[in-house]
Amino acid sequence: MLIKMGRKLFYWQICLWQPNRMSAVTIFVLQAESSFSEEEEEKLQIAFSLEKQDLHLVLETISFILEQAVYHNLKPASLQQQLQSIHLDQDKAEAFASAWAAAGQDTIEKFRQRVLTPQKLETIGWQLNLQMAESMQAKLKSPQAVLELGVSNEDSKNLKKVFVEFSHQELFEFYNKLETIQAQLDSLT
Amino acid sequence: MAAVAAGKAAGAAHGHGEGRGGGGGFLGPRVPAEVEAMARGVQEVGHETFRRLLRVTVNALEGKDCKESVKLIAESTSLSEEQLAFLISGMYTLLREALRLPLSTFKQEVFKEDLKELRIPEDFITDFSSIVFGNRRPVSEGTALMQGSRLPNVQDFKWRVDVAISTSSLARALQPSILMLMKLSDGTAHRFEVPVAKFQELRYNVALILKEMNDLEKRSILKIQD
């Protein structure tokens, strides 16, 4: 039994809902990364003529159903079947299924890409320079590359920029290491 | 190196002196004041003392500590501290400027000619030459000679490829990801995750830079005559 519905109160509410409103809210929950803001909640309350507590309950339960669908990677048909087997109305189950069919794959992909590490590489920039001289050496003519890596930190909003300089030889060695990593990735598939 | 620092400061405070008849050649249109002062002062210095001063200067160029040796010289010769300062700083500047120039374009005869213009005694010129052109050339890995201003480069690069089998959001994720640890030469370490798509972008960009570097090195701009 995949979906455990312990919320009897929700049952009643969900049964009383119109199917088209449900699908609108379902898609909305799927697309929103974070929960609804205060104003949005108020608008929903008015639109669906629900009390604040009831609205919360409905939203929470829809989120729960969707999270379970993501976790088990359910196909829309299978989701519909499961919902119907816990005695949800046919049309409401259909609303779920169609919303899932529309945005399900993208949602699963988004969850797949989530990383747990606090720092993630976001941007890559680079610059190729030809160094002509420096204070200790005249007449150089050596190419230098500067790689700018933008690393995001979970806590702060800003991107930390890491600047790394490479000579031709150093860059070549770095490239070989990247090739090794790529070979490992290829061996996975 | 108190003597060298004092000498350098004295030279800078005086400003670059007027060049004598056409300038110092490899030293530029205006011979630095401390080099001129050294050229004058070195006339009265004995060969042995000169050799000891030269050794101290070379050690200073290589980044070694020479306070002891300078003190020894000060004690064993009749030179005043100010004289020592000018001599050592002049020799330091002269050698540093000479060592900047690549050997492919800087010839020994030119160097010797320039030193002759400064009226430095013949034997001393030979000693200078052997340092710049001979096998006594200071190792360029020494701190004084290789302190170019650079951005940090990669000291150590570690990576791992993980596959997330299951997460709290997905029962079967099977998503590969790459974790990189980069230690830079300025001491900082950066650990970050690279999504596979970003990794491809990184690889592509690095390959692109390498290609551009190759093209650059082949182009005629690098065949500019020095």
Side-chain angles (χ1 to χ4, degrees):
Chain A
M1 188 59 241
L2 280 173
I3 302 182
K4 292 193 179 114
M5 303 294 287
R7 305 180 195 213
K8 293 274 163 65
L9 192 56
F10 166 72
Y11 260 127
W12 284 115
Q13 291 292 3
I14 271 255
C15 292
L16 288 167
W17 264 33
Q18 304 297 317
N20 53 348
R21 279 196 204 147
M22 162 103 63
S23 45
V25 176
T26 313
I27 294 188
F28 208 1
V29 172
L30 273 172
Q31 284 170 354
E33 286 278 323
S34 50
S35 10
F36 297 101
S37 66
E38 273 299 313
E39 313 105 58
E40 286 166 338
E41 278 195 13
E42 277 171 26
K43 284 191 204 144
L44 286 172
Q45 266 183 266
I46 297 166
F48 298 127
S49 46
L50 284 172
E51 290 303 313
K52 193 174 174 109
Q53 240 180 328
D54 298 335
L55 178 69
H56 275 206
L57 185 56
V58 171
L59 287 177
E60 270 175 39
T61 321
I62 295 182
S63 308
F64 177 76
I65 295 176
L66 294 173
E67 277 168 27
Q68 288 294 306
V70 165
Y71 187 78
H72 294 278
N73 196 4
L74 290 175
K75 297 281 177 294
S78 166
L79 175 64
Q80 187 173 351
Q81 204 183 2
Q82 295 275 353
L83 288 173
Q84 279 170 329
S85 66
I86 52 163
H87 310 298
L88 195 63
D89 282 353
Q90 166 114 11
D91 37 11
K92 294 186 185 60
E94 265 176 25
F96 265 108
S98 57
W100 191 240
Q105 277 310 310
D106 291 340
T107 315
I108 291 180
E109 204 43 49
K110 219 178 268 177
F111 273 97
R112 265 223 182 94
Q113 300 290 342
R114 260 210 209 151
V115 290
L116 280 179
T117 46
Q119 291 180 317
K120 190 166 92 150
L121 180 65
E122 299 274 4
T123 61
I124 297 164
W126 57 269
Q127 202 181 62
L128 178 61
N129 300 323
L130 187 63
Q131 188 174 31
M132 299 305 290
E134 59 182 14
S135 46
M136 280 308 170
Q137 269 258 278
K139 299 180 187 169
L140 273 175
K141 291 201 290 270
S142 71
Q144 303 279 339
V146 177
L147 210 56
E148 176 199 285
L149 302 172
V151 178
S152 71
N153 213 329
E154 211 168 66
D155 319 332
S156 61
K157 291 290 170 194
N158 328 344
L159 221 56
K160 177 173 74 164
K161 297 269 166 99
V162 180
F163 292 94
V164 192
E165 189 173 323
F166 292 93
S167 67
H168 195 158
Q169 183 59 29
E170 288 166 352
L171 194 63
F172 189 63
E173 283 165 10
F174 186 61
Y175 183 70
N176 283 335
K177 289 180 185 152
L178 292 182
E179 282 294 298
T180 313
I181 300 178
Q182 182 61 42
Q184 290 300 322
L185 285 175
D186 291 338
S187 71
L188 284 175
T189 50
Chain B
M1 281 295 302
V4 176
K8 270 196 207 169
H14 276 111
H16 285 193
E18 285 296 309
R20 193 181 307 118
F26 76 93
L27 285 165
R30 280 190 188 168
V31 179
E34 65 266 27
V35 176
E36 279 202 1
M38 185 265 300
R40 281 194 294 267
V42 94
Q43 318 276 344
E44 293 110 43
V45 172
H47 205 157
E48 188 47 49
T49 318
F50 173 79
R51 286 241 165 93
R52 290 167 75 189
L53 290 170
L54 199 57
R55 212 172 305 136
V56 166
T57 315
V58 172
N59 284 339
L61 282 167
E62 287 181 340
K64 299 190 194 133
D65 184 29
C66 347
K67 278 198 286 275
E68 286 305 313
S69 348
V70 176
K71 230 186 280 178
L72 271 162
I73 300 181
E75 284 159 10
S76 55
T77 63
S78 56
L79 296 165
S80 73
E81 208 176 284
E82 202 191 332
Q83 275 177 306
L84 262 182
F86 273 114
L87 285 172
I88 294 181
S89 71
M91 287 161 60
Y92 185 88
T93 307
L94 187 136
L95 282 176
R96 193 192 59 199
E97 290 306 312
L99 288 168
R100 267 190 90 225
L101 303 168
L103 282 173
S104 48
T105 46
F106 189 46
K107 292 304 168 209
Q108 197 167 21
E109 303 80 38
V110 178
F111 180 65
K112 285 191 172 166
E113 273 303 313
D114 289 337
L115 290 189
K116 241 181 259 174
E117 289 252 334
L118 291 167
R119 315 260 179 86
I120 294 179
E122 219 25 74
D123 321 338
F124 297 175
I125 294 187
T126 322
D127 285 338
F128 276 129
S129 279
S130 70
I131 300 233
V132 178
F133 296 96
N135 50 10
R136 280 165 64 200
R137 192 181 171 97
V139 273
S140 57
E141 274 82 60
T143 44
L145 293 169
M146 209 41 184
Q147 235 160 31
S149 34
R150 301 186 73 191
L151 285 169
N153 58 347
V154 174
Q155 198 95 45
D156 189 24
F157 177 63
K158 292 200 176 87
W159 55 269
R160 58 185 247 191
V161 174
D162 292 320
V163 177
I165 297 176
S166 185
T167 70
S168 50
S169 342
L170 288 163
R172 269 285 164 278
L174 296 177
Q175 179 72 0
S177 66
I178 301 159
L179 193 66
M180 285 188 184
L181 174 65
M182 243 185 224
K183 282 198 192 135
L184 301 182
S185 57
D186 64 349
T188 55
H190 301 273
R191 191 197 311 120
F192 50 88
E193 171 148 1
V194 185
V196 179
K198 270 284 166 255
F199 174 73
Q200 303 300 347
E201 195 183 317
L202 179 65
R203 210 169 125 248
Y204 168 74
N205 278 302
V206 172
L208 187 60
I209 307 175
L210 277 173
K211 176 185 167 301
E212 298 249 348
M213 266 191 184
N214 274 325
D215 290 346
L216 187 63
E217 282 168 358
K218 290 201 191 101
R219 263 194 243 162
S220 55
I221 192 171
L222 289 178
K223 303 201 180 92
I224 298 173
Q225 285 306 320
D226 287 321

